[in-house]
Amino acid sequence: MTVTVAVTDPVGPPAAGASTRSIFQSALGSDFERLHPQLQRRFGFSSADGIACVGTGRMERIERGSRLLVPFLRMGARRNILFPEQGWDIPFTIANYAYRDGFGRETVTFVRTFQFTRPRRFDATMVAASGRPGTVLDYLGTRQELAVDLRLGVTARGGLTISSAAQRVASLVGAPVVPELLTGRAELHEWFDDEAGRFRIKVRVTNPVVGLVLGYRGWFTAEYPRVGAEGIPRHVRPVRESFRM
């Protein structure tokens, strides 16, 4: 069953003393301790901690696949899912805020902004995938229309890997599975560059028919601002929330 709710007022952090784990700690279990210490800090906070992680940097290369994909990418851009632009050395920010959504689920925002001539956002909100170790559930876009299973892993050098798996249309009754030929499979690798003192990231989204859909690689540094009683900024929250059971 799929339920949707409109998002109204922001929800603040839980009361002091609440026991809440990061969704990444819950998914990775003991493997979380194998992450580089900087990645443990970046992915180790929850709504109970009252902090966020805001990254600022540059994408050294952003590319897309065939021109045939441009109409599809433009359509996705209206919902802050993918975009058609390409470029080199593009200013970039990522905003990760942990909060409890309208269904009471521990949630983390992934709001990525790429400063092209026309800024583009790629939004996602992630929640724990109950009963599925090593997996989180990723809702894409401003209306959480797509729900994607993400499988997490840790590299030998303490980097985080994320691979997308089953995809469902969360906005439709029954949340039907997206046929394989229509999916965009994502592969992400994020790690900490000790020599440069910054995070590095590489992402590729591919389709079994057309190959590359979108890819980017670059770097960013992170700050950890406090989240006050007013809760997380409204602009990083989706305008509608979905709950797939």
Side-chain angles (χ1 to χ4, degrees), residues 183-216:
T183 60
R185 295 294 188 182
E187 298 287 340
L188 174 147
H189 181 200
E190 183 175 321
W191 68 102
F192 192 78
D193 184 338
D194 284 295
E195 184 175 344
R198 58 195 187 188
F199 295 91
R200 297 198 62 86
I201 188 169
K202 181 178 180 180
V203 173
R204 284 181 66 84
V205 181
T206 59
N207 172 271
V209 176
V210 301
L212 178 68
V213 176
L214 179 72
Y216 56 88

Side-chain angles (χ1 to χ4, degrees), residues 63-70 73 86 210-215:
E63 56 184 332
R64 61 162 168 76
S66 167
R67 287 181 177 272
L68 298 175
L69 293 168
V70 170
L73 294 172
Q86 304 183 90
V210 301
L212 178 68
V213 176
L214 179 72

Side-chain angles (χ1 to χ4, degrees), residues 50-224:
I51 62 171
C53 179
V54 178
T56 304
R58 306 188 83 85
M59 290 298 104
E60 297 160 340
R61 177 73 172 112
I62 300 176
E63 56 184 332
R64 61 162 168 76
S66 167
R67 287 181 177 272
L68 298 175
L69 293 168
V70 170
F72 164 77
L73 294 172
R74 284 177 176 163
M75 181 172 60
R78 298 186 189 127
R79 291 286 192 269
N80 289 354
I81 306 173
L82 305 178
F83 46 84
E85 286 83 0
Q86 304 183 90
W88 299 85
D89 197 32
I90 304 298
F92 167 82
T93 60
I94 181 167
N96 299 116
Y97 286 83
Y99 68 102
R100 293 278 181 167
D101 73 3
F103 298 102
R105 300 174 300 184
E106 184 70 16
T107 305
V108 178
T109 68
F110 278 74
V111 175
R112 290 149 285 204
T113 304
F114 303 83
Q115 294 291 340
F116 296 103
T117 302
R118 177 182 182 178
R120 294 293 194 184
R121 276 178 49 165
F122 185 1
D123 291 5
T125 40
M126 299 186 187
V127 303
S130 179
R132 286 178 285 169
T135 303
V136 299
L137 184 60
D138 187 21
Y139 289 102
L140 299 181
T142 56
R143 294 179 175 271
Q144 295 192 341
E145 291 167 315
L146 288 177
V148 183
D149 287 349
L150 298 181
R151 295 173 179 161
L152 277 56
V154 181
T155 69
R157 295 188 176 183
L160 177 68
T161 61
I162 299 178
S163 302
S164 65
Q167 302 179 16
R168 296 171 177 82
V169 185
S171 58
L172 297 181
V173 175
V177 175
V178 179
E180 177 71 21
L181 294 181
L182 299 180
T183 60
R185 295 294 188 182
E187 298 287 340
L188 174 147
H189 181 200
E190 183 175 321
W191 68 102
F192 192 78
D193 184 338
D194 284 295
E195 184 175 344
R198 58 195 187 188
F199 295 91
R200 297 198 62 86
I201 188 169
K202 181 178 180 180
V203 173
R204 284 181 66 84
V205 181
T206 59
N207 172 271
V209 176
V210 301
L212 178 68
V213 176
L214 179 72
Y216 56 88
R217 56 178 170 81
W219 60 268
F220 60 93
T221 58
E223 297 181 345
Y224 299 87

Side-chain angles (χ1 to χ4, degrees), residues 15-48:
S19 177
T20 304
R21 296 182 72 196
S22 152
I23 64 170
F24 300 99
Q25 285 179 301
S26 296
L28 286 170
S30 61
D31 279 347
F32 186 83
E33 303 303 320
R34 296 175 49 226
L35 287 172
H36 187 286
Q38 291 292 341
L39 269 76
Q40 290 186 40
R41 182 184 186 192
R42 173 161 153 63
F43 292 107
F45 63 90
S46 73
S47 59

